[in-house]
Amino acid sequence: MHYLLTLHYTTDYLERRGAFRKQHLAQAWAAQERGQLLLAGALGDPPDRGVFVFDCDSVAPIEAFVQADPYFQNGLV
């Protein structure tokens, strides 16, 4: 089943993301390698949200992705 995850960034996202971006992208690439993440990217100019298209049997891998995401853990979304 396909799922669309939308993350809404904080107003200071661009200033703060640098410290966490490498980890965030590594997590996304790992999900892609597992066949769970099909497409992802930031939207807006400047970016104010990100979207992720998942292909999973349930929402559990997506919930785990969000909980482990350094942007989520550090209050950027």
Side-chain angles (χ1 to χ4, degrees):
M1 177 169 278
H2 292 99
Y3 295 91
L4 179 66
L5 169 67
T6 303
L7 300 179
H8 296 273
Y9 301 143
T10 59
T11 55
D12 61 350
Y13 160 79
L14 287 177
E15 293 81 23
R16 297 179 50 215
R17 75 175 179 175
F20 312 107
R21 192 159 193 253
K22 185 176 179 179
Q23 294 169 297
H24 171 77
L25 293 175
Q27 179 180 336
W29 283 115
Q32 187 270 332
E33 288 176 9
R34 290 190 301 272
Q36 296 170 333
L37 182 60
L38 302 179
L39 180 71
L43 298 175
D45 185 19
D48 61 355
R49 64 202 177 283
V51 295
F52 299 76
V53 178
F54 286 90
D55 184 13
C56 305
D57 292 334
S58 73
V59 298
I62 301 164
E63 290 171 346
F65 180 90
V66 171
Q67 293 299 317
D69 184 17
Y71 286 3
F72 176 77
Q73 292 176 345
N74 292 283
L76 276 72
V77 295

